[in-house]
């Protein structure tokens, strides 16, 4: 073995090595570390850490954070530093190599590990004065087999019972609870793809340990699997998964990226290290990409507008029934407009399907919407072309399907089905594919679109590409994603993509999607129940891309308090679905919160994310903070002035210019019963209060310091004055009633202005309306049958009229029973079906029964026909003859004229 000296190499090799060493030295500046050989180990340490390698094979023996007495990591599994897995079920690892030598270069702070045999592997480990260790492996494959996986560093282990939590880069960041590790779970997935960054981290009771790659936006991206793996042969241990998926052919060379092992540092520190070391700060910012339009883009929520789902819609009705009815402008996301509708005919999006109108009418609609302040971004999926699309049905001479579609190693083309729709995954390295996409982009942009949304590329696990002749400087394992990166980099217009991968952030303006959706849909069953979401991507990239939930999925549109709280806590912009119409109050709320609350810090990085209590977090920016109460049963007292609702939140600016949230107590005054989503905007000249959703309430507001008195005026959303409001003053506070409906006009906001004299509006009362309490909301409920698990009885008490229960078909009578939890005096019952034109008028025959014990029921409303009409929002209200004290309410349904099953979307029960 060669120790403590350099082996002479050729001058050319020295030059190359010198360039690489200079880069590594720059990243790990200051190489003064201690090196010692003892007890079969060589131990390297500085003031931050100590790491030991085995002298017989180079395996990591342990890693220790010097702030703690116990070991942070107990080394590689089986003492193996790296493991190469080949075709034919063969493998080679560092422990079994025929020849091993090492050398220490004290001047550079480098440990060199040499392995020789059927593979030649040189590992360079670089040390400095900070808490980072750099590692790189160069592989020369002298075997007759292809290396398909190179695992390095191989499964660094830690004690499962010492793990506090682990961080995986699944959007926005998945923080795995300690039970994931103590219950012996494993999970891994691919970067680029499901994993949006090449960073994994563990927090333990013995310190924190992280692994990440350096790649930057200009370097080849190596595909890898990342995660954590239970050690079946070492009980009570978990390990890092850091495996490169490769294709290193016989007699060829390959090198890993520079890998950083970072010891210590909490998650925000590690994420900033990854950002710094990968030069992400130098990516184009949103200010660079959007220019003078940045402010307006940040003010616009993203609104799905699927013309193919709106029944008899056309471009004219979209203008009159949607654009004209919205109080706040949005990014309108056009979906399903091409011939055949959604998921058909890609890549041919224009001309649109003539049943919606001509292309000229589409262009007129786009211009009309833009004139009202909206932006237009269409849904496209150019990664996946329909098998029956005009393009694939008429390929030009010389263009072969086998070249333009991604081929597997078997020679089969990758074809994917979504429901009844089939398509091919396209090879982005083929010039014809790029040409056709560019042609379609040009058509869409010339029609007036403000950007392009591209489905799948930001979330798809990059496949191997076995097409001959199109690998350029990449290999089969990296060529697909390199083609995607090049395509995004060459696009000069605004680009959005599903989910997103860190290196695409330089060339996109929007990432759309989160792992939260995939958890809800059951895609991540191994991690979903163990996941606490963490704003990792907002710490890393929020100044580079706008972050949204999925552009299409109903499950994560901002239409509940839970979804609004989640988005605000994680640093996400807001989105909605116009399928439910503009009367949906959440469309109004999303517009107001995006414009007035989120926009001022819409491109600010998250600086920290911490626990304030058992179920309360605080997301910190430079100038803003978001407090989120994740407890949906209990309110949270911020201080003596403000109390959040159960499941509520607060956004506040340090300069007090913005405060918004969901409150039960505001500015030291208890609010009237009901939900209250409030926005308070303060400037030197005025104070505005918005309540986009909420019941009438008395409010107390602190006057500006220079005001002697205050006038208060109510306004509509268009700025038209509704009325001057009476006000009472006490010290530095003013008090008034926020009333939603005044003289038949809807109040959008009230404005306070300063005055030298008191307001003369004294004797006018607009009458607060008391909020009726729906006693059935989120109560226990059972049904006689459910047609499918997607339509359970619980949807009738979830507060959402667009979700519904449906019984099994052709089995009348059917029943559904609500348990109110205690006896209540019942006077009226509201019943709903989804308030959509697609739910045409129907009559259901319904009897209503009640019980005080759940056993003996009596009729409280005789069986009768109940008519649901979309012209009346498909809602009816039924009076109960004489108030009765009941705990259980049952509907018996014996007929439905429009469907052979019982259907109800909401059951509301009131006592007054």
């Amino acid at each position: 073995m060669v120790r403590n000296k350099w082996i002479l190499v050729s001058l050319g090799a020295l030059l190359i090595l010198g360039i690489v060493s200079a880069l590594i030295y720059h990243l790990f500046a200051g190489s003064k570390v201690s090196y010692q050989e003892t007890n079969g180990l060589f131990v390297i340490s500085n003031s931050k850490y100590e790491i030991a390698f085995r002298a017989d094979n180079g395996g990591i023996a342990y890693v220790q954070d010097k702030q703690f007495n116990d070991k942070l990591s107990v080394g590689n599994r089986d003492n193996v530093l790296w493991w190469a897995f080949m075709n034919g079920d063969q493998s080679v690892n560092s422990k079994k190599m025929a020849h091993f030598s090492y050398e220490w270069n004290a001047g550079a702070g480098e440990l060199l590990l040499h392995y020789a045999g059927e593979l030649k592997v040189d590992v360079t480990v670089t040390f400095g004065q900070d808490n980072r260790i750099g590692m790189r492996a160069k592989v020369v494959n002298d075997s007759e087999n292809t290396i398909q996986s190179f695992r390095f560093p191989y499964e660094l282990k830690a004690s499962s019972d010492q793990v506090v939590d682990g961080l995986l880069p699944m959007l926005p960041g998945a923080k795995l609870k300690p039970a994931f590790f103590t219950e012996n779970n494993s999970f891994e997935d691919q970067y680029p793809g499901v994993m949006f960054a090449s960073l994994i981290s563990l927090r333990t009771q013995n310190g924190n340990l992280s692994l990440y790659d350096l790649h930057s936006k200009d370097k080849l991206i190596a595909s890898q699997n990342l995660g954590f793996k239970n050690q079946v042969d070492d009980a009570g241990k978990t390990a890092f998964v850091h495996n490169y998926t490769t294709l290193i052919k016989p007699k060829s060379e390959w090198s890993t990226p520079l890998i950083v092992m970072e010891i210590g540092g909490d998650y925000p520190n590690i994420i900033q290290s990854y950002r710094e070391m990968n030069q992400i700060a130098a990516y184009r910012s949103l200010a660079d990409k959007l220019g003078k339009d940045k402010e307006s883009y940040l003010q616009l929520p993203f609104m799905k507008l699927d013309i193919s789902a709106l029944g008899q819609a056309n471009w004219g009705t979209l203008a009159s029934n949607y654009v004209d009815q919205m109080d706040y402008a949005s990014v309108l996301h056009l979906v399903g407009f091409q011939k055949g509708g959604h998921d058909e005919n890609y890549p041919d999006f224009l001309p649109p399907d003539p049943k919606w109108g001509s292309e000229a009418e589409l262009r007129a609609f786009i211009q009309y919407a833009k004139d009202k302040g909206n932006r237009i971004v269409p849904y496209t999926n150019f990664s996946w072309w329909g098998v029956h699309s005009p393009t694939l049905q008429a390929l030009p001479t010389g263009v072969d399907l086998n070249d333009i579609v991604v081929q597997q190693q078997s020679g089969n083309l990758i074809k994917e089905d979504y429901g009844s729709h089939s398509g091919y995954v396209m090879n982005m390295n083929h010039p014809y594919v790029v040409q056709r996409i560019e042609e379609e982009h040009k058509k869409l942009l010339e029609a007036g679109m403000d950007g392009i949304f591209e489905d799948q590329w930001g979330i798809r696990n990059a496949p191997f590409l076995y097409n001959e002749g199109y690998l350029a400087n990449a290999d089969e394992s990296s060529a697909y994603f390199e083609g995607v990166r090049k395509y995004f980099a060459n696009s000069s217009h605004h680009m959005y993509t599903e989910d997103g991968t860190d290196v695409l952030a330089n060339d996109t303006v929007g990432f759309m999607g989160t792992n939260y959706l995939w958890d809800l849909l059951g895609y991540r069953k191994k991690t979903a129940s163990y996941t606490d979401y963490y704003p990792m991507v907002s710490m890393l990239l929020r100044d580079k891309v706008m972050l949204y939930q999925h552009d299409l999925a109903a499950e994560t549109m901002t239409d509940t308090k839970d979804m609004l709280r989640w988005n605000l806590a994680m640093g996400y912009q807001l989105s909605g679905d116009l399928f439910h119409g503009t009367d949906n109050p959440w469309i109004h709320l999303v517009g107001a919160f995006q414009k007035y609350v989120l926009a001022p810090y819409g491109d600010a990085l998250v600086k920290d994310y911490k626990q304030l209590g058992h179920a309360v977090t605080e997301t910190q920016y430079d100038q803003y903070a978001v407090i989120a109460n994740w407890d949906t049963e209990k309110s949270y007292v911020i201080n003596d002035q403000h109390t959040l609702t159960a499941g509520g939140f607060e956004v506040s600016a340090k300069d007090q210019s913005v405060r918004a949230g969901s409150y039960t107590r505001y500015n030291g005054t208890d609010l009237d019963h009901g939900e209250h989503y409030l926005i308070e905007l303060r400037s030197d000249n005025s104070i505005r209060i918005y309540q986009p959703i909420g019941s009438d309430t008395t409010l107390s507001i602190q006057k500006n310091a220079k005001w002697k008195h205050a006038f208060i005026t109510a306004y509509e959303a268009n700025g038209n004055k509704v009325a001057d409001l009476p006000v009472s003053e006490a010290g530095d506070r003013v008090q008034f009633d926020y009333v939603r409906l005044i003289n038949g006009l809807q109040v959008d906001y009230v404005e306070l202005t300063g005055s030298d004299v008191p307001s003369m509006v004294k004797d006018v009362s607009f009458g607060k309306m008391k909020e009726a309490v729906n006693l059935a909301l989120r109560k226990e409920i059972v049904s006689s049958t459910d047609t499918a698990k997607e339509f359970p009885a619980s949807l009738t008490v979830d507060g959402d009229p667009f979700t519904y229960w449906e019984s099994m078909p052709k089995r009348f009578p059917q029943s559904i029973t609500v348990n109110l939890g205690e006896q209540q005096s019942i006077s009226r019952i509201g019943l709903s079906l989804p308030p959509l034109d697609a739910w045409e008028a129907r009559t259901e025959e319904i009897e209503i029964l009640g019980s005080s014990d759940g056993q003996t029921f009596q009729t409280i409303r005789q069986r009768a026909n109940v008519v649901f009409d979309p012209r009346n929002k498909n809602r009816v209200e039924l009076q109960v003859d004489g108030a009765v004290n009941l705990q259980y309410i049952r509907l018996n349904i014996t007929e439905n004229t429009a469907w052979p099953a019982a259907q109800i979307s909401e059951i509301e029960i009131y006592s007054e």
Side-chain angles (χ1 to χ4, degrees):
M1 297 184 182
V2 182
R3 305 177 184 175
N4 299 317
K5 64 179 181 179
W6 287 95
I7 299 175
L8 292 177
V9 293
S10 70
L11 183 60
L14 273 173
L15 180 60
I16 296 171
L17 185 61
I19 295 171
V20 174
S21 296
L23 173 61
I24 295 175
Y25 182 80
H26 173 71
L27 296 174
F28 300 90
S31 59
K32 299 298 182 181
V33 294
S34 167
Y35 174 87
Q36 181 182 11
E37 295 188 31
T38 177
N39 298 323
L41 301 174
F42 30 94
V43 180
I44 299 97
S45 65
N46 64 13
S47 61
K48 305 288 195 310
Y49 62 79
E50 180 174 290
I51 184 170
F53 296 80
R54 294 176 59 91
D56 58 347
N57 62 28
I60 297 173
Y62 65 82
V63 180
Q64 184 169 356
D65 184 332
K66 285 195 171 180
Q67 296 182 74
F68 300 88
N69 294 324
D70 292 331
K71 302 293 189 290
L72 172 53
S73 170
V74 292
N76 298 115
R77 179 182 179 182
D78 293 334
N79 302 316
V80 172
L81 180 64
W82 55 264
W83 203 315
F85 288 80
M86 304 174 179
N87 59 325
D89 295 326
Q90 299 190 49
S91 68
V92 177
N93 67 59
S94 59
K95 186 177 177 180
K96 296 183 179 181
M97 293 296 286
H99 303 284
F100 169 66
S101 64
Y102 63 89
E103 51 193 291
W104 170 250
N105 181 347
E110 287 185 340
L111 177 67
L112 305 178
L113 307 174
H114 306 288
Y115 302 86
E118 57 182 324
L119 304 183
K120 291 185 176 66
V121 179
D122 292 314
V123 175
T124 303
V125 190
T126 306
F127 308 89
Q129 293 182 5
D130 60 14
N131 60 337
R132 298 167 181 154
I133 298 169
M135 297 181 288
R136 189 196 304 272
K138 178 183 177 182
V139 182
V140 178
N141 185 8
D142 284 338
S143 76
E144 298 301 317
N145 299 299
T146 297
I147 300 173
Q148 296 177 320
S149 174
F150 189 77
R151 305 179 181 186
F152 173 70
Y154 181 65
E155 296 188 19
L156 270 175
K157 299 186 293 183
S159 296
S160 298
D161 62 0
Q162 298 296 301
V163 174
V164 176
D165 47 47
L167 184 64
L168 290 177
M170 297 188 289
L171 288 169
K175 188 175 70 171
L176 299 180
K177 301 173 185 178
F180 174 86
F181 302 95
T182 57
E183 294 175 7
N184 305 321
N185 291 289
S186 301
F187 178 79
E188 63 184 83
D189 218 313
Q190 184 177 314
Y191 169 83
V194 167
M195 303 294 184
F196 76 87
S198 55
L199 163 64
I200 47 178
S201 186
L202 271 183
R203 294 197 301 187
T204 82
Q205 296 176 27
N206 300 318
N208 304 335
L209 183 63
S210 306
L211 288 177
Y212 55 87
D213 284 13
L214 303 191
H215 42 64
S216 84
K217 66 182 178 65
D218 299 317
K219 294 182 180 178
L220 193 70
I221 301 300
S223 296
Q224 60 188 147
N225 277 9
L226 302 171
F228 301 109
K229 185 176 182 180
N230 174 54
Q231 300 294 283
V232 294
D233 55 357
D234 191 359
K237 300 294 191 305
T238 189
F240 285 86
V241 174
H242 193 264
N243 304 337
Y244 294 101
T245 54
T246 63
L247 203 69
I248 311 172
K249 297 176 181 178
K251 313 307 177 186
S252 65
E253 298 181 3
W254 177 84
S255 293
T256 69
L258 183 60
I259 304 159
V260 178
M261 179 191 300
E262 191 157 332
I263 298 104
D266 204 354
Y267 292 152
N269 310 105
I270 297 301
I271 294 165
Q272 287 308 304
S273 289
Y274 182 83
R275 176 180 164 97
E276 169 196 342
M277 301 286 272
N278 277 295
Q279 304 172 50
I280 292 173
Y283 284 14
R284 295 174 61 212
S285 68
L286 280 171
D288 294 333
K289 298 168 188 173
L290 300 175
K292 61 181 177 58
D293 295 327
K294 186 192 83 167
E295 182 178 348
S296 65
Y297 268 94
L298 293 178
Q299 291 180 358
L300 304 177
F302 208 87
M303 290 291 177
K304 177 185 173 186
L305 186 55
D306 185 349
I307 191 170
S308 63
L310 296 177
Q312 301 302 312
N314 57 52
W315 300 115
T317 58
L318 253 60
S320 59
N321 295 348
Y322 294 89
V323 173
D324 285 347
Q325 304 305 316
M326 295 172 64
D327 291 327
Y328 293 93
S330 302
V331 175
L332 296 176
H333 187 43
L334 295 185
V335 180
F337 55 90
Q338 74 278 7
K339 291 179 181 178
H342 187 58
D343 278 349
E344 275 296 328
N345 287 321
Y346 307 164
D348 302 276
F349 284 87
L350 288 181
D353 196 313
K355 65 183 176 182
W356 315 128
S358 66
E359 185 168 345
E361 290 171 314
L362 166 62
R363 289 172 179 252
F365 166 78
I366 292 172
Q367 188 59 54
Y368 182 79
K370 291 172 70 169
D371 288 344
K372 287 183 170 286
N374 300 282
R375 305 279 179 169
I376 312 296
V377 173
Y379 170 92
T380 70
N381 187 351
F382 289 118
S383 75
W384 178 86
W385 292 7
V387 293
H388 304 301
S389 65
T391 293
L392 289 186
Q393 293 300 305
L395 291 175
T397 302
V399 175
D400 190 277
L401 191 67
N402 291 306
D403 292 329
I404 64 174
V405 176
V406 174
Q407 281 192 27
Q408 298 172 304
Q409 190 171 16
S410 63
N412 293 332
L413 304 182
I414 298 183
K415 182 182 177 185
E416 295 174 344
D417 296 332
Y418 298 99
S420 60
H421 310 284
S422 295
Y424 293 106
V425 177
M426 304 310 295
N427 172 15
M428 286 305 299
N429 294 276
H430 195 287
Y432 177 72
V433 174
V434 175
Q435 173 194 325
R436 280 294 297 122
I437 295 173
E438 289 176 344
E439 290 171 352
E440 290 300 310
H441 274 206
K442 184 177 180 181
K443 290 180 185 178
L444 292 164
L445 295 167
E446 287 180 346
M449 308 292 188
D450 294 287
I452 308 290
F453 168 82
E454 293 279 15
D455 205 15
Q456 295 194 314
W457 271 323
I459 185 61
R460 182 191 294 280
N461 280 350
F464 277 47
L465 183 75
Y466 289 94
N467 303 64
E468 294 183 3
Y470 300 105
L471 299 182
N473 296 322
D475 61 22
E476 289 87 345
S477 67
S478 58
Y480 177 85
F481 191 70
E482 286 307 303
V484 171
R485 287 178 73 195
K486 184 178 179 181
Y487 161 70
F488 274 85
N490 290 337
S491 297
S492 59
H493 46 272
H494 300 331
M495 296 284 291
Y496 301 74
T497 188
E498 184 181 17
D499 278 31
T501 302
D502 56 356
V503 293
L504 297 180
N506 186 64
D507 303 301
T508 52
V509 299
F511 283 0
M512 308 200 67
T514 66
N515 198 56
Y516 182 44
L517 171 63
W518 311 127
D519 284 346
L520 290 174
L521 296 177
Y523 286 25
R524 311 275 186 267
K525 293 181 180 179
K526 291 184 178 180
T527 59
S529 62
Y530 299 101
T531 294
D532 284 327
Y533 302 101
Y534 190 87
M536 176 181 179
V537 71
S538 293
M539 293 179 177
L540 189 66
L541 298 168
R542 196 169 182 268
D543 58 335
K544 310 301 179 185
V545 292
M546 294 179 286
L547 304 169
Y548 301 90
Q549 293 288 349
H550 198 276
D551 64 305
L552 299 182
E555 291 82 355
T556 51
M557 295 297 175
T558 312
D559 56 10
T560 65
K561 184 196 297 184
D562 290 342
M563 199 69 258
L564 178 57
R565 179 188 66 247
W566 195 101
N567 287 334
L568 293 170
M570 294 297 120
Y572 273 62
Q573 319 294 336
L574 306 183
S575 53
D577 189 344
L578 292 172
F579 175 74
H580 294 160
T582 59
D583 287 342
N584 179 356
W586 281 94
I587 298 298
H588 188 76
L589 180 142
V590 162
F593 265 80
Q594 184 66 49
K595 181 174 182 177
Y596 298 122
V597 180
L598 270 161
Y601 67 102
D603 61 343
L605 288 172
V606 170
K607 297 298 184 182
D608 199 6
Y609 183 72
K610 60 184 182 181
Q611 293 287 139
L612 297 184
H614 170 66
V616 182
T617 60
E618 183 176 44
T619 310
Q620 296 180 342
Y621 301 83
D622 274 339
Q623 300 300 320
Y624 280 77
V626 179
I627 296 175
N629 177 19
W630 301 92
D631 190 330
T632 57
E633 301 295 328
K634 297 179 182 179
S635 59
Y636 175 72
V637 178
I638 298 176
N639 49 42
D640 63 347
Q641 296 292 300
H642 297 93
T643 299
L644 302 182
T645 61
F649 60 89
E650 178 183 79
V651 181
S652 60
K654 288 184 178 179
D655 64 2
Q656 299 185 339
S657 60
V658 178
R659 183 185 297 277
S662 173
Y663 301 95
T664 62
R665 182 175 176 83
Y666 192 72
N667 286 336
T669 299
D670 290 337
L671 303 179
D672 291 30
H673 181 81
E675 288 283 0
H676 301 282
Y677 294 90
L678 295 171
I679 301 171
E680 180 177 338
L681 308 177
R682 304 181 71 94
S683 67
D684 290 339
N685 300 320
S686 70
I687 302 169
R688 283 192 178 187
I689 308 295
Y690 294 78
Q691 186 175 233
I693 292 179
S695 57
D696 295 350
T697 186
T698 299
L699 289 176
S700 178
I701 304 295
Q702 186 174 18
K703 293 183 294 189
N704 280 355
K706 296 181 180 180
W707 294 358
K708 290 182 180 180
H709 303 282
F711 282 175
I712 303 180
T713 305
Y715 294 91
E716 293 183 278
N718 59 14
N720 290 338
K721 179 178 176 178
V722 175
D724 292 321
L725 304 183
V727 56
S728 61
E729 301 187 38
D732 64 349
R733 300 291 179 97
V734 296
Q735 186 168 291
F736 64 97
D737 290 341
Y738 193 111
V739 179
R740 291 178 293 173
L741 196 64
I742 297 177
N743 299 330
L745 299 177
Q746 184 74 40
V747 174
D748 185 62
Y749 64 93
V750 299
E751 186 169 52
L752 287 67
T753 54
S755 172
D756 289 334
V757 297
S759 170
M760 300 302 292
V761 184
K762 296 294 184 183
D763 299 324
V764 178
S765 175
F766 297 108
K768 290 188 298 181
M769 294 183 62
K770 184 179 179 181
E771 183 77 4
V773 179
N774 176 11
L775 302 174
L777 188 63
R778 299 185 181 88
K779 291 299 194 299
E780 178 184 333
I781 189 164
V782 294
S783 57
S784 51
T785 67
D786 300 336
T787 189
K789 65 180 181 179
E790 291 82 11
F791 304 98
S794 60
L795 296 179
T796 66
V797 291
D798 66 352
D800 184 351
F802 297 99
T803 62
Y804 63 96
W805 162 71
E806 183 173 293
S807 73
M808 294 186 71
K810 300 180 181 179
R811 296 193 184 183
F812 289 114
Q814 294 287 336
S815 69
I816 186 166
T817 307
V818 184
N819 180 356
L820 301 179
E822 60 183 359
Q823 289 192 21
Q824 303 278 357
S825 177
I826 308 303
S827 63
R828 57 191 175 94
I829 296 174
L831 300 178
S832 300
L833 290 177
L836 301 168
D837 289 340
W839 282 71
E840 70 274 10
R842 66 198 64 199
T843 299
E844 296 194 52
E845 190 177 65
I846 301 175
E847 178 187 19
I848 303 179
L849 302 95
S851 171
S852 58
D853 59 7
Q855 300 297 318
T856 302
F857 284 82
Q858 63 186 42
T859 299
I860 60 174
R861 191 177 190 278
Q862 294 295 325
R863 185 170 64 183
N865 290 335
V866 176
V867 178
F868 297 94
D869 191 332
R871 292 174 297 181
N872 299 320
K873 298 185 179 180
N874 274 334
R875 185 182 185 278
V876 297
E877 194 159 287
L878 308 176
Q879 298 296 320
V880 175
D881 295 332
V884 287
N885 291 320
L886 299 167
Q887 181 174 339
Y888 299 87
I889 300 295
R890 173 174 294 171
L891 307 182
N892 275 345
I893 304 174
T894 50
E895 185 180 357
N896 183 344
T897 60
W899 199 253
Q903 297 170 311
I904 297 290
S905 66
E906 283 297 299
I907 299 174
E908 306 163 38
I909 300 175
Y910 299 98
S911 63
E912 72 281 343

